[in-house]
Amino acid sequence: MDLRQLETFVAVAKFKSFSKAADHLYLTQPTVSSHIANLEKELNTILINRTNRKISLTKAGDILYDYALNILNLKDGAIYKLGEYKGKIVGNIEIASSTIPEQYILPQLFCQFNKEFPDVTFQMLHYDSQQVVEGIIQDRIDFGIVGAEIPHPQLNYVELINDELVLVTPATSTYASFDEEISIEEILNERFIFREIGSGTRKLVESKLADFKFDISSLNVVAYIENTEAIKQCIRSGLGVSFLSQKAITDELKAGSLKSFKIKDLNLERKFYFVYHKYRNPSPLESTFQNFVFNYFQKANASD
């Protein structure tokens, strides 16, 4: 039983797929299959059910999984401590994020972390808030940053930073007479662009509109688009208006290419959260990054 076999086993268990595990580990699928077969042969037991094209762990696999994680964490801890001793900490940080943190928060965070730990690499995964939470619960994702707190007994959420959604329109004469704060009745006839189902932005807008007895289906929605940058391009082109994060339109407001408005009596403030599994032991590098994230945002909030 070697470490490469255990890494492969954990990857297959996490992704519930031989092909996805192969992609994650930069191996061929036959190599992944060989590692699992050799591990099962050595332990004289079946670890993975392969029936009906669905991958799941057997009872023996469930027992091995926790031990495998601990062994790999010990290996990572040894590498970390040796790197610390030699003055060169190496490793890879994997973090999943919803759209706004991915595009407007994490790049600067990575840059600051890289200044202290230049030999650490990053892998940023794009999921909506719901997918990030499900991935952490299922042990496919280590931790993430999301724009909606979706309660679950196995998760911890740490508040990082405040945000606010605003109505974003083209910077055209049509909206020149609008006040900075407008009533919800003034926008009911607008053509709307909404985010995809599962996004924190859409969940918040739907929830707040429901307080006014409005449903998205009653609005004139012309498009559902996942990418915030694409939504901004569509707004500029005149396709419609949308609710977007204030953080996403800072440059456009300065350049005068878009306009933003608050809606009276519609509180669209929210927070971004760092989310992680309550009962999973992070590796030393992951703990270092996690503490860096907390300190980074504490300093950022104190300076505001």
Side-chain angles (χ1 to χ4, degrees), residues 244-276:
L244 295 177
S245 165
Q246 189 81 50
K247 297 184 183 302
I249 56 170
T250 302
D251 292 341
E252 287 79 8
L253 292 179
K254 289 179 180 178
S257 59
L258 292 174
K259 297 191 70 174
S260 70
F261 302 92
K262 293 186 179 182
I263 309 299
K264 292 177 183 176
D265 303 318
L266 197 65
N267 181 5
L268 292 176
E269 294 180 352
R270 65 174 177 181
K271 301 178 185 295
F272 286 115
Y273 302 88
F274 185 91
V275 55
Y276 58 97

Side-chain angles (χ1 to χ4, degrees), residues 57-111:
L57 296 183
T58 64
K59 180 60 178 177
D62 282 330
I63 293 171
L64 178 63
Y65 183 75
D66 289 336
Y67 284 101
L69 281 179
N70 288 334
I71 291 169
L72 294 176
N73 277 341
L74 283 172
K75 179 209 70 170
D76 291 340
I79 293 173
Y80 181 89
K81 285 299 181 182
L82 286 170
E84 203 171 39
Y85 171 72
K86 295 185 292 184
K88 183 179 180 180
I89 293 175
V90 299
N92 182 70
I93 295 293
E94 183 178 280
I95 183 168
S97 171
S98 54
T99 301
I100 299 304
E102 174 192 51
Q103 296 178 343
Y104 309 105
I105 297 175
L106 282 176
Q108 183 61 33
L109 176 67
F110 287 165
C111 182

Side-chain angles (χ1 to χ4, degrees), residues 12-184:
V12 171
K14 278 187 174 184
F15 295 106
K16 294 180 173 58
S17 166
F18 280 73
S19 60
K20 289 180 180 178
D23 291 340
H24 178 74
L25 297 171
Y26 301 103
L27 299 174
T28 64
Q29 191 167 334
T31 301
V32 168
S33 298
S34 176
H35 282 329
I36 298 299
N38 290 334
L39 184 59
E40 290 179 327
K41 182 178 179 180
E42 181 179 348
L43 297 175
N44 194 29
T45 188
I46 301 299
L47 300 170
I48 295 174
N49 292 311
R50 304 169 176 84
T51 58
N52 300 324
R53 296 186 178 180
K54 291 184 179 179
I55 300 297
S56 62
L57 296 183
T58 64
K59 180 60 178 177
D62 282 330
I63 293 171
L64 178 63
Y65 183 75
D66 289 336
Y67 284 101
L69 281 179
N70 288 334
I71 291 169
L72 294 176
N73 277 341
L74 283 172
K75 179 209 70 170
D76 291 340
I79 293 173
Y80 181 89
K81 285 299 181 182
L82 286 170
E84 203 171 39
Y85 171 72
K86 295 185 292 184
K88 183 179 180 180
I89 293 175
V90 299
N92 182 70
I93 295 293
E94 183 178 280
I95 183 168
S97 171
S98 54
T99 301
I100 299 304
E102 174 192 51
Q103 296 178 343
Y104 309 105
I105 297 175
L106 282 176
Q108 183 61 33
L109 176 67
F110 287 165
C111 182
Q112 292 301 315
F113 188 81
N114 180 256
K115 290 179 180 178
E116 292 191 32
F117 305 96
D119 298 298
V120 174
T121 58
F122 297 95
Q123 183 175 3
M124 185 160 56
L125 309 173
H126 173 76
Y127 297 108
D128 64 40
S129 297
Q130 183 69 46
Q131 291 169 330
V132 171
V133 165
E134 290 174 356
I136 293 174
I137 294 170
Q138 296 167 8
D139 279 336
R140 291 185 290 103
I141 296 171
D142 296 328
F143 40 67
I145 296 181
V146 295
E149 186 176 8
I150 303 172
H152 192 281
Q154 295 179 9
L155 299 178
N156 273 338
Y157 289 87
V158 178
E159 292 181 9
L160 296 181
I161 194 170
N162 294 323
D163 186 33
E164 184 176 14
L165 301 183
V166 291
L167 181 74
V168 182
T169 73
T172 60
S173 58
T174 303
Y175 303 95
S177 61
F178 279 33
D179 294 327
E180 288 186 6
E181 189 174 71
I182 58 180
S183 68
I184 194 168

